[in-house]
Amino acid sequence: MNAPLQSTKASATKPALTILIAAPRGFCAGVDRAIEIVERALERYGAPVYVRHEIVHNKFVVDGLRQKGAIFVEELDQVPDGAPVVFSAHGVPKAVPAEADRRGLDYLDATCPLVSKVHRQAERQIEANRHIVFVGHRGHPEVIGTMGQVPEGTMTLVETVEDVEALSLAADQPLAFLTQTTLSVDDTHEIVRALQTKFPHIVGPKAEDICYATSNRQAAVKRIAPGSDLVLVIGAGNSSNSLRLVEVSQKCGTDAKLIRRASEIDPAWLEGVGTLGLTAGASAPEELVREVVAKLSEWREVEEHTLVTAEEKMVFKLPRQLTD
């Protein structure tokens, strides 16, 4: 569906530029919830409120919360006794809330409920005496958090089909697989297919672990990329879902560039570009989308069209500590 937001005639001094804006884009329900948890914690407890790791992977969002009184740290030992602390949307290993309990810290868990669902699945598979093959990106906070839900040695990480081929698990060993929620839908299907071929008895989740927002944003890029000369993805370099959007566009045959802010756009990128695709990762606010459109309008006579591939109405409940 094409819904024009703005239409202008080409100027004699500015060449025309059609912008195809993907929908859905930007904030997902898990990110909305995480940010609101920090904001409500600041209202309830007053500043400062500590946050373990970036609440979401977006500098603009983190800086905004920092200005309101949030202090971001990497580990709990950086949180003073008696101070409130929030755990990020990516989830944390079980050892983290256990340490918070030991120290008597007042903590709020902003883990996305869809990530928490994967955590519960991991626990159930271990209870069923299955070894877990986890599909994800090594070092990503969500992967660290998920692997930290189960005893060491009971979960093996794979990132590629080649990793699957290299697995040396016993043929009769009971197995299950789970996946990170922000992966490439297409790449993950290939890896899962390789797992099921090598281990026909492997057990998977009833529904795929890749979250609705990740799937929807990738589908939206597949809609705008074929008709675009270039795609801009607003997001952070450490944001898995944003990086996947760049990859999806490139696999569609359209060059894509990841930017954090409008100021990072090089005008030279627009040479020969008549139609530009625009989207934002799940941690990027709509304010940054409008900022990019405004910047492009300085150089070009812009005509916007929003291409809608799905409607999102998901809302997640806040922790009881903030609603009682």
Side-chain angles (χ1 to χ4, degrees):
M1 179 178 84
N2 288 10
L5 295 179
Q6 174 182 331
S7 179
T8 58
K9 296 180 180 179
S11 163
T13 57
K14 293 182 184 179
L17 178 67
T18 299
I19 303 179
L20 304 181
I21 303 180
R25 63 182 177 274
F27 279 179
C28 62
V31 167
D32 273 330
R33 175 179 180 270
I35 294 169
E36 187 173 358
I37 286 173
V38 177
E39 291 176 337
R40 289 209 183 192
L42 285 164
E43 292 173 2
R44 171 160 294 199
Y45 301 109
V49 166
Y50 287 77
V51 183
R52 185 187 181 276
H53 192 65
E54 292 182 338
I55 188 68
V56 295
H57 283 156
N58 187 276
K59 185 177 185 298
F60 180 84
V61 171
V62 168
D63 287 348
L65 292 173
R66 187 178 284 118
Q67 290 173 4
K68 295 178 180 180
I71 296 177
F72 293 87
V73 298
E74 288 303 310
E75 299 298 341
L76 278 189
D77 59 14
Q78 297 171 268
V79 179
D81 290 343
V85 60
V86 179
F87 302 149
S88 83
H90 307 101
V92 296
K94 278 186 174 180
V96 174
E99 174 63 11
D101 284 332
R102 187 192 69 78
R103 289 185 54 196
L105 296 176
D106 193 354
Y107 68 86
L108 294 161
D109 190 353
T111 300
C112 173
L114 298 180
V115 174
S116 296
K117 182 189 74 172
V118 177
H119 291 179
R120 293 192 297 271
Q121 290 173 339
E123 292 173 337
R124 286 196 291 268
Q125 297 300 349
I126 297 304
E127 290 169 0
N129 295 315
R130 296 188 181 101
H131 184 86
I132 299 170
V133 180
F134 189 65
V135 184
H137 294 296
R138 189 177 306 278
H140 189 277
E142 183 183 332
V143 171
I144 294 170
T146 301
M147 296 189 76
Q149 302 303 308
V150 299
E152 188 173 353
T154 60
M155 184 182 288
T156 299
L157 178 68
V158 296
E159 297 186 83
T160 64
V161 170
E162 290 72 27
D163 288 344
V164 173
E165 294 171 350
L167 287 175
S168 58
L169 301 169
D172 60 348
Q173 183 173 3
L175 296 175
F177 74 85
L178 298 170
T179 81
Q180 185 178 332
T181 64
T182 55
L183 299 177
S184 160
V185 173
D186 295 336
D187 290 350
T188 302
H189 285 168
E190 290 183 12
I191 296 171
V192 169
R193 188 160 50 242
L195 280 169
Q196 292 170 330
T197 299
K198 184 166 184 173
F199 307 106
H201 63 291
I202 197 167
V203 175
K206 293 181 180 178
E208 69 175 17
D209 292 327
I210 296 176
C211 80
Y212 77 95
T214 295
S215 299
N216 286 348
R217 278 149 191 73
Q218 290 178 23
V221 168
K222 290 179 181 179
R223 176 79 183 279
I224 65 170
S228 301
D229 302 307
L230 172 70
V231 170
L232 295 182
V233 177
I234 305 170
N238 59 347
S239 166
S240 176
N241 75 85
S242 298
L243 292 170
R244 303 295 80 78
L245 296 180
V246 173
E247 293 172 357
V248 167
S249 180
Q250 292 170 340
K251 287 182 178 180
C252 289
T254 303
D255 186 25
K257 297 186 183 297
L258 181 70
I259 58 171
R260 290 177 298 177
R261 299 288 301 269
S263 58
E264 295 183 357
I265 301 173
D266 184 344
W269 295 347
L270 301 180
E271 292 179 11
V273 173
T275 301
L276 181 138
L278 179 60
T279 189
S283 301
E286 183 65 15
E287 183 176 348
L288 298 185
V289 176
R290 302 318 310 168
E291 178 187 89
V292 166
V293 173
K295 173 60 71 173
L296 293 169
S297 298
E298 295 177 8
W299 304 316
R300 296 291 195 91
E301 204 67 45
V302 164
E303 180 177 319
E304 298 178 45
H305 297 275
T306 299
L307 275 61
V308 181
T309 55
E311 299 283 350
E312 294 182 347
K313 299 180 181 179
M314 184 77 72
V315 177
F316 294 132
K317 293 181 180 179
L318 295 171
R320 288 183 178 177
Q321 301 103 300
L322 297 178
T323 57
D324 290 345

